[in-house]
Amino acid sequence: MSDQIKFIVDNLNKEPFRKNYNLITFDSLEPMQLLQVLSDVLAEIDPKQVVDIREEMPEQTAKRMLSLLGILKYKPPGNATDMSNFRQGLVIGSKPVIYPVLHWLLQRTNELKKRAYLARFLIKLEVPSEFLQDETVADTNKQYEDLMEAFKTLHKECEQLKTFGFSTAEIRRDISAMEEEKDQLIKRVERLKKRVETVQNHQRMLKIARQLRVEKEREEFLAQQKQEQKNQLFHAVQRLQRIQNQLKSMRHAAADAKPESLMKRLEEEIKFNSYMVTEKFPKELENKKKELHFLQKVVSEPAMGHSDLLELESKINEINTQISQLIEKKMMRNEPIEGKLSLYRQQASIISRKKEAKAEELQEAKEKLANLEREVSAKTNQTREFDGTEVLKGDEFKRYVSKLRSKSTVFKKKHQIIAEFKAEFGLLQRTEELLKQRHENIQHQLQTIEEKKGISGYSYTQEELERVSALKSEVDEVKGRTLDDMSEMVKRLNSLVSEKKSALAPVIKELRQLRQKCQELTQECDEKKSQYDSCAAGLESNRSKLEQEVRGLREECLQDESRYHYTNCMIKNLEVQLCRATDEMKAYVSSDQQEKRKAIREQYTKNIAEQENLGKKLREKQKAVRESHGPNMKQVKMWRDFEQLMECKKQCFLKQQSQTSIGQVIQEGGEDRLIL
């Protein structure tokens, strides 16, 4: 605990608090002053907490501090039962509660500042679901959530940029590398300019390339603009669809409604809302206030033990017995007027409870209706995205149902006709099977007769011949038709080929001439290219040689310059030394005593003599100290023994004084004292 207090005092004495406390003054602070110190520390973390607690209610102070500690994620030591003690201790300014909070806050001030700053923007504002049914509120809430996500990403990027830093050496290295790249690029640009100058119309080509680059940049800008406009158009179309749906629903509601029904509906809504505002909500608000007051009372009271709970249970049982006795007395009286009033009261209470239940059911039904409307709108949007069709409503749905009914009647009739056809098809299948059986029997009889007559297989061969002859005639007809078609197709193709040849003849002539020109130009291009490559290779080799020579000459020049500067510096140093030596010789040789004193040799000899005298004095002093060390140590020991002896006498005297009996008279220094 002492280390904790010391840490708190040290931090409070530093910037930005400057409290100038020590351990005694800090420990002697009153609860209000200690709460003010805690409020100042919280104000340093969150500037909104700058408050003078003397001008604030204790409940508001405790609520403000608890809310901020909850945001900062402070966990008090102990379990749930200790939480009530923690709240109570924070209200009254208890030291065992406030010291750990101050220690925790001062340990991680920078981290908590960051957390408090982020909490201003990242604690989500809860909007009730009934308010989110309004589209403007829903859109605003969505924008709020999007902005919160954008703030998260930007804060992460900012933190990454803060942590990711470059040193000055790296920046200088990058700058030097960029300058080298710049020089290389300038050289390349000059080399390319020299190459381009030999080409014909190079200015015009450069101008065209510049225009092409500008147009490409403009094309990218226009494409970006187009994409933005597409997004805007998409959002506008979605908004238009929502407004159209609202307009349709409003028109549908207005088409079926009459003024009387509208007035009746509005009166019912007004009655319901007035009941909710004047009766239901005030009762609920009063109940909530009572619960809040009771909870505040529970929080403010100290923690109860098992004995307190038993005492409360005994009190509750006594009060219940008293209530039951009073009810029995009232029933024994049995006054008729009170009986009638009790009936009316019971009926009124039943009606009020029913009214409240119905109001709650109506409220739940409205919420369900709003949820269902939202689901319907979501489903309609999904169907519109999938199929591109809209969901039918009202009269359109009725017309669609009537169409379905008419189609169902037609479907039933068609289904009946199909059933009749199926029955007839079954009969025909049965007759076909019977006829096949009869045909097989006849064929069997015919085969037996042919075997008897000695001409077996006659009927089968005759049928095969008839079938083959029929097939041959069909094939001959098909061949004749295909030959005619092929002859007509050949004629058409020949005519088309002749037309295409006549049309392509001049083009082919021009193409031949152009091919010859292309061959000649390619030959010239290859020759020029070979000449250019050989010339460029020679120039490049010469340039590299010259660059090497220039580099070597520059290095030699730099070496010579450094040598020259070094020799100049050495000459100057030698000249200065020579000048000092001549001045020293002049001063040493001269007959003037003042100039001799200015000489360096005289000054050094003087300093040496002074140091030798000082050394002699210190050695004599050291000798004296060594000689007097033994007697001095003995004298110190004697003084310490004398001090212990006097302390012992003092203690004995005090004990003797405390052991004197009450009422004893002591004479000291010519004075009498009475001890009571």
Side-chain angles (χ1 to χ4, degrees):
M1 190 72 180
S2 61
D3 295 335
Q4 195 178 51
I5 296 171
K6 188 176 180 182
F7 176 79
I8 294 167
V9 170
D10 291 339
N11 281 277
L12 288 175
N13 291 333
K14 294 177 183 177
E15 291 287 340
F17 302 107
R18 296 185 189 175
K19 294 292 184 179
N20 294 324
Y21 288 141
N22 54 28
L23 294 175
I24 298 168
T25 56
F26 181 74
D27 194 46
S28 62
L29 288 176
E30 294 181 358
M32 287 291 289
Q33 294 174 342
L34 203 58
L35 283 172
Q36 185 63 53
V37 171
L38 179 59
S39 179
D40 294 340
V41 174
L42 292 174
E44 178 62 26
I45 293 168
D46 187 5
K48 290 184 179 178
Q49 304 293 323
V50 180
V51 177
D52 189 358
I53 61 170
R54 292 175 295 182
E55 300 175 358
E56 192 178 27
M57 296 294 290
E59 293 83 5
Q60 293 178 356
T61 305
K63 187 177 179 182
R64 176 172 60 82
M65 291 181 179
L66 284 170
S67 64
L68 184 57
L69 290 173
I71 290 168
L72 299 177
K73 296 181 180 179
Y74 174 72
K75 293 181 180 179
N79 50 14
T81 57
D82 294 333
M83 285 297 295
S84 60
N85 295 330
F86 175 75
R87 293 192 187 95
Q88 189 176 359
L90 193 65
V91 171
I92 64 175
S94 177
K95 291 179 181 179
V97 173
I98 292 177
Y99 283 172
V101 177
L102 284 171
H103 185 262
W104 186 79
L105 292 172
L106 294 170
Q107 268 184 334
R108 44 182 71 82
T109 307
N110 294 325
E111 180 186 350
L112 296 176
K113 279 183 182 179
K114 183 179 177 182
R115 191 175 292 171
Y117 169 73
L118 292 175
R120 290 169 54 195
F121 304 102
L122 296 182
I123 292 176
K124 191 174 180 182
L125 192 66
E126 294 296 334
V127 182
S129 58
E130 56 266 19
F131 292 119
L132 288 173
Q133 295 174 6
D134 191 359
E135 288 189 0
T136 55
V137 177
D139 293 337
T140 308
N141 190 29
K142 190 177 180 183
Q143 289 177 4
Y144 168 66
E145 291 175 354
D146 295 338
L147 289 170
M148 192 179 288
E149 294 296 327
F151 175 76
K152 287 180 183 177
T153 54
L154 289 172
H155 182 71
K156 286 180 183 177
E157 290 176 0
C158 180
E159 291 296 322
Q160 289 175 0
L161 289 172
K162 284 180 180 178
T163 55
F164 182 73
F166 293 102
S167 63
T168 55
E170 290 178 355
I171 293 167
R172 286 174 182 170
R173 204 178 303 123
D174 292 338
I175 289 168
S176 61
M178 287 177 183
E179 287 177 352
E180 289 177 0
E181 288 179 0
K182 181 183 175 183
D183 295 335
Q184 291 176 3
L185 289 171
I186 290 167
K187 289 178 182 178
R188 284 185 67 187
V189 169
E190 289 176 355
R191 204 180 304 141
L192 290 171
K193 280 183 179 179
K194 288 177 181 178
R195 287 183 184 179
V196 170
E197 284 175 358
T198 58
V199 181
Q200 294 179 355
N201 298 325
H202 66 279
Q203 293 291 339
R204 185 167 173 274
M205 292 173 73
L206 287 171
K207 188 177 179 182
I208 291 166
R210 199 177 295 114
Q211 289 177 358
L212 177 64
R213 181 175 55 77
V214 172
E215 291 298 327
K216 281 184 178 179
E217 290 177 356
R218 189 181 174 193
E219 184 181 1
E220 290 177 358
F221 178 70
L222 291 172
Q224 190 177 1
Q225 270 190 346
K226 185 179 179 182
Q227 187 64 33
E228 289 176 358
Q229 288 178 0
K230 279 184 179 178
N231 294 330
Q232 290 176 2
L233 180 63
F234 178 71
H235 292 305
V237 168
Q238 284 186 344
R239 190 176 178 188
L240 180 63
Q241 287 177 355
R242 286 200 301 269
I243 293 167
Q244 284 178 352
N245 292 330
Q246 288 180 1
L247 183 62
K248 282 183 181 178
S249 61
M250 290 173 72
R251 283 179 178 172
H252 179 67
D256 297 336
K258 293 180 181 179
E260 293 82 3
S261 61
L262 286 172
M263 289 296 292
K264 191 174 180 181
R265 197 184 304 161
L266 287 171
E267 286 176 357
E268 289 176 355
E269 287 183 0
I270 289 165
K271 286 179 181 178
F272 174 72
N273 291 327
S274 62
Y275 166 72
M276 295 291 286
V277 171
T278 56
E279 296 183 12
K280 193 171 187 307
F281 288 158
K283 287 181 182 178
E284 291 180 356
L285 184 63
E286 189 67 27
N287 292 328
K288 295 290 182 185
K289 284 182 179 178
K290 287 179 181 177
E291 288 180 2
L292 180 63
H293 181 68
F294 177 71
L295 292 172
Q296 286 178 350
K297 189 176 179 182
V298 169
V299 167
S300 62
E301 288 179 356
M304 292 184 178
H306 187 67
S307 59
D308 297 331
L309 291 173
L310 292 174
E311 187 177 352
L312 283 174
E313 285 180 356
S314 63
K315 285 182 181 179
I316 289 165
N317 292 326
E318 289 176 1
I319 291 166
N320 286 329
T321 54
Q322 289 177 4
I323 290 167
S324 60
Q325 288 174 4
L326 290 170
I327 290 167
E328 288 176 359
K329 286 180 181 179
K330 188 176 180 182
M331 290 176 69
M332 290 294 289
R333 288 176 186 172
N334 198 7
E335 295 180 358
I337 298 169
E338 289 291 330
K340 290 179 183 179
L341 289 173
S342 63
L343 288 173
Y344 290 129
R345 284 171 186 164
Q346 287 177 359
Q347 289 177 359
S349 63
I350 290 165
I351 290 165
S352 64
R353 283 198 295 273
K354 285 183 179 179
K355 193 175 181 181
E356 289 176 357
K358 292 297 179 184
E360 289 177 357
E361 289 177 1
L362 181 60
Q363 189 69 22
E364 290 176 357
K366 282 188 175 182
E367 291 177 357
K368 286 181 181 178
L369 180 62
N371 293 326
L372 291 172
E373 285 178 353
R374 284 199 297 275
E375 289 179 1
V376 167
S377 63
K379 297 292 183 184
T380 52
N381 292 325
Q382 288 180 0
T383 52
R384 194 181 296 111
E385 289 176 359
F386 289 139
D387 301 335
T389 57
E390 294 183 358
V391 180
L392 300 176
K393 294 180 181 178
D395 296 334
E396 294 178 357
F397 185 72
K398 289 178 182 178
R399 286 195 291 273
Y400 179 69
V401 170
S402 62
K403 283 182 183 179
L404 281 178
R405 285 175 182 169
S406 61
K407 286 182 180 180
S408 65
T409 54
V410 173
F411 170 74
K412 288 177 183 177
K413 289 179 182 178
K414 299 291 183 184
H415 189 67
Q416 189 176 1
I417 292 166
I418 289 166
E420 291 174 357
F421 281 135
K422 283 181 179 179
E424 191 174 354
F425 177 70
L427 291 171
L428 291 171
Q429 275 186 340
R430 182 61 182 163
T431 53
E432 185 182 5
E433 288 175 358
L434 293 171
L435 289 171
K436 281 181 180 179
Q437 289 177 1
R438 196 177 293 174
H439 178 68
E440 288 176 357
N441 293 327
I442 292 167
Q443 287 289 332
H444 187 65
Q445 290 175 4
L446 184 62
Q447 286 177 3
T448 55
I449 292 166
E450 286 176 353
E451 287 176 356
K452 286 179 183 179
K453 298 291 183 180
I455 52 171
S456 61
Y458 175 76
S459 60
Y460 179 72
T461 53
Q462 190 176 0
E463 287 177 358
E464 286 291 324
L465 287 170
E466 289 177 356
R467 190 171 63 79
V468 168
S469 62
L471 288 170
K472 185 177 178 297
S473 61
E474 289 177 0
V475 169
D476 291 335
E477 288 178 0
V478 171
K479 281 182 179 179
R481 286 198 297 273
T482 52
L483 287 170
D484 293 334
D485 293 336
M486 288 174 71
S487 61
E488 289 178 359
M489 191 180 292
V490 168
K491 287 178 182 178
R492 285 200 301 273
L493 289 171
N494 288 326
S495 62
L496 286 169
V497 167
S498 60
E499 288 176 0
K500 295 292 182 183
K501 280 182 178 179
S502 61
L504 290 171
V507 177
I508 290 166
K509 288 180 181 179
E510 292 178 358
L511 182 62
R512 286 173 185 169
Q513 294 175 1
L514 292 171
R515 279 178 182 171
Q516 290 177 359
K517 287 182 181 179
C518 180
Q519 289 176 0
E520 292 173 359
L521 291 170
T522 50
Q523 288 177 0
E524 288 181 2
C525 180
D526 293 335
E527 291 174 359
K528 298 288 185 184
K529 191 175 182 182
S530 61
Q531 291 176 4
Y532 170 75
D533 291 336
S534 61
C535 183
L539 291 171
E540 192 71 26
S541 62
N542 292 329
R543 186 182 64 80
S544 62
K545 289 178 182 178
L546 291 170
E547 283 181 353
Q548 288 178 359
E549 290 177 0
V550 168
R551 200 177 292 113
L553 292 170
R554 280 181 179 172
E555 288 177 357
E556 290 178 1
C557 183
L558 289 171
Q559 290 176 1
D560 293 337
E561 282 182 359
S562 63
R563 245 188 249 112
Y564 169 73
H565 291 304
Y566 178 72
T567 52
N568 278 335
C569 290
M570 291 298 291
I571 288 164
K572 287 180 180 178
N573 287 330
L574 291 171
E575 286 177 354
V576 171
Q577 289 177 4
L578 183 62
C579 183
R580 288 176 67 186
T582 53
D583 293 338
E584 185 70 21
M585 286 296 293
K586 286 178 183 178
Y588 183 70
V589 172
S590 66
S591 59
D592 193 359
Q593 293 296 326
Q594 290 182 355
E595 288 184 359
K596 278 188 177 183
R597 287 174 187 170
K598 290 181 181 177
I600 295 170
R601 184 175 179 182
E602 293 293 330
Q603 291 177 4
Y604 279 136
T605 53
K606 186 179 179 182
N607 289 331
I608 289 166
E610 288 177 357
Q611 293 297 324
E612 286 177 353
N613 294 326
L614 184 62
K616 286 179 182 178
K617 289 179 181 178
L618 291 172
R619 281 194 292 273
E620 290 174 357
K621 193 173 182 182
Q622 185 181 9
K623 186 178 178 182
V625 168
R626 282 178 181 173
E627 290 174 354
S628 62
H629 179 69
N632 289 335
M633 291 300 292
K634 287 180 182 178
Q635 192 174 2
V636 168
K637 188 178 180 183
M638 289 170 68
W639 274 109
R640 283 178 183 167
D641 295 338
F642 179 72
E643 188 180 0
Q644 288 179 0
L645 182 62
M646 295 303 292
E647 185 69 25
C648 183
K649 284 185 177 183
K650 180 183 174 183
Q651 294 294 331
C652 292
F653 179 73
L654 291 172
K655 284 181 182 178
Q656 188 178 2
Q657 271 190 343
S658 62
Q659 289 175 1
T660 53
S661 60
I662 298 169
Q664 186 178 357
V665 178
I666 297 172
Q667 292 182 355
E668 281 185 355
E671 293 180 357
D672 295 336
R673 286 193 298 159
L674 178 64
I675 297 171
L676 298 175

